Amino acid sequence: QKEVEQDPGPLSVPEGAIVSLNCTYSNSAFQYFMWYRQYSRKGPELLMYTYSSGNKEDGRFTAQVDKSSKYISLFIRDSQPSDSATYLCAMNGLNSGGSNYKLTFGKGTLLTVNP
Amino acid sequence: NAGVTQTPKFRVLKTGQSMTLLCAQDMNHEYMYWYRQDPGMGLRLIHYSVGEGTTAKGEVPDGYNVSRLKKQNFLLGLESAAPSQTSVYFCASSRAGTGGSQPQHFGDGTRLSIL
């Protein structure tokens, strides 16, 4: 089983739709959860950062973490054409060795928002 | 507000040639990282550094060397380039933190082709 699973899509939605992006993971040591947005030919840009379980909202974006189910989600409300990008989930946490500097990424979901 | 800057942005090499990729950050971050991104493989950590003068191997270190002589710079070297090293290379940096608790910030990448 892969450490992080993310549906690659592609996902195509009309402008104004609510978008739901998801990742599942297998490593119960993960505590820090991130969502990155990557535009074509650009680097990943940090979008949301959460610690442990719960919700975090920032404008049109909401990140949810359910550690009991090992499941994280990113919701985009009132989606815009400018939201068209690849969305990467990433996570990290202390491993049995005492520390872990490596972010574990999902493979990314390609989202297109059509005008 | 430069953040993480990578040079060069594009490069084409012949098999066996060597080159150095430069990463510079202006956020006074302690930690720096080098990743490669390949289709279907996602982002994979090559090497990382937790401070000036220290480096460590990531998950795909073979064929690469790194140096961190100054806090703000992190160099990635290819001693003898191979076609398998054709990829997009990303540098990232973060504040110090235990268990990977600090989010990483990425540059816009170097697109490298090895013929």
Side-chain angles (χ1 to χ4, degrees):
Chain A
Q1 182 182 8
K2 294 178 182 176
E3 267 198 308
V4 178
E5 300 266 13
Q6 183 177 9
D7 186 340
L11 183 61
S12 182
V13 302
E15 183 175 353
I18 297 174
V19 176
S20 173
L21 304 166
N22 312 292
C23 288
T24 58
Y25 63 95
S26 58
N27 186 348
S28 58
F30 287 146
Q31 300 180 73
Y32 306 99
F33 304 92
M34 286 143 266
W35 286 95
Y36 286 85
R37 177 175 62 195
Q38 187 174 21
Y39 291 115
S40 179
R41 306 184 75 78
K42 290 290 190 179
E45 170 194 10
L46 181 67
L47 203 56
M48 300 288 281
Y49 170 68
T50 55
Y51 169 68
S52 195
S53 286
N55 293 359
K56 183 175 182 178
E57 187 173 322
D58 184 0
R60 296 184 295 111
F61 299 90
T62 299
Q64 287 185 352
V65 175
D66 182 348
K67 289 192 72 181
S68 63
S69 301
K70 296 190 178 68
Y71 188 86
I72 69 170
S73 301
L74 177 70
F75 297 95
I76 307 174
R77 293 183 299 280
D78 187 24
S79 56
Q80 303 295 310
S82 59
D83 295 328
S84 298
T86 297
Y87 289 80
L88 303 162
C89 63
M91 46 200 79
N92 206 347
L94 285 171
N95 62 14
S96 58
S99 64
N100 187 351
Y101 302 103
K102 183 178 81 72
L103 275 180
T104 301
F105 285 88
K107 297 265 173 68
T109 299
L110 177 61
L111 171 67
T112 301
V113 181
N114 301 299
Chain B
N1 188 11
V4 178
T5 303
Q6 293 183 235
T7 52
K9 296 189 186 314
F10 307 95
R11 186 73 183 268
V12 178
L13 289 179
K14 295 182 180 179
T15 298
Q17 287 185 319
S18 63
M19 79 161 294
T20 300
L21 281 64
L22 173 64
C23 176
Q25 54 94 4
D26 62 2
M27 296 175 281
N28 201 33
H29 284 170
E30 285 292 333
Y31 299 169
M32 296 187 75
Y33 315 81
W34 276 107
Y35 292 87
R36 60 179 290 174
Q37 187 176 40
D38 303 289
M41 302 294 290
L43 279 156
R44 293 180 291 170
L45 183 65
I46 304 171
H47 286 280
Y48 64 95
S49 168
V50 298
E52 186 177 318
T54 69
T55 63
K57 294 180 180 180
E59 57 185 309
V60 288
D62 294 342
Y64 305 95
N65 56 76
V66 288
S67 63
R68 182 117 179 255
L69 300 179
K70 293 182 178 181
K71 183 178 182 179
Q72 64 267 33
N73 295 338
F74 196 26
L75 278 63
L76 177 71
L78 284 74
E79 294 179 341
S80 179
S84 61
Q85 294 177 305
T86 293
S87 187
V88 182
Y89 291 87
F90 288 101
C91 177
S93 69
S94 74
R95 295 178 180 175
T98 57
S101 61
Q102 298 298 318
Q104 295 178 19
H105 301 269
F106 286 79
D108 277 339
T110 293
R111 282 156 184 79
L112 184 61
S113 292
I114 315 295
L115 304 178

